Amino acid sequence: MATPFLAGLAVAAAALAGRRGIQAWQAFKAQPPKPKLRKFYDGGFQPTMTRREAALILGVRESATADKVKEAHRKVMVANHPDAGGSHYLASKINEAKDLMLGKTKSSGSAF
């Protein structure tokens, strides 16, 4: 007499656990997707560099002070200098970004 009772209790517990599992899964699926944090900017260079692109290259805000721009330029150039195995193209883009952020824009843009 105890065996059918225990079997019924086990079936009820399994059904309740399954129901809770389905509810939890549906609640999880209903959550809005979280944005993925990316360390790097997806995209290439614009034909004419903008202030936003220059700030992204140097890793500073668009409203950064001249001292912060110069410090950021120095850090980025140390890592990408052509004499240390870096690219001439990237070095020219970094210099162009610094010039644009400091207000020393040239009409020709990048050398490349």
Side-chain angles (χ1 to χ4, degrees):
M1 180 147 159
T3 305
F5 177 74
L6 290 177
L9 190 60
V11 168
L16 184 62
R19 181 177 176 202
R20 295 285 182 190
I22 290 171
Q23 287 174 347
W25 177 252
Q26 289 174 345
F28 175 74
K29 286 190 340 184
Q31 292 177 349
K34 295 180 182 177
K36 295 180 181 178
L37 297 177
R38 295 187 179 183
K39 189 172 181 179
F40 301 106
Y41 173 70
D42 287 336
F45 295 113
Q46 301 296 324
T48 303
M49 187 173 291
T50 62
R51 192 163 175 85
R52 178 179 182 272
E53 184 180 21
L56 283 170
I57 289 170
L58 295 176
V60 296
R61 293 181 184 263
E62 290 182 43
S63 59
T65 63
D67 291 334
K68 289 203 181 236
V69 169
K70 289 177 185 177
E71 182 182 337
H73 173 263
R74 192 174 302 114
K75 286 181 181 179
V76 174
M77 276 304 285
V78 165
N80 294 293
H81 199 276
D83 291 345
S87 166
H88 290 281
Y89 177 71
L90 288 179
S92 71
K93 283 297 194 178
I94 293 166
N95 287 329
E96 183 182 355
K98 179 194 75 157
D99 290 342
L100 187 108
M101 291 294 289
L102 294 177
K104 302 176 185 176
T105 58
K106 298 177 184 175
S107 61
S108 64
S110 176
F112 292 94

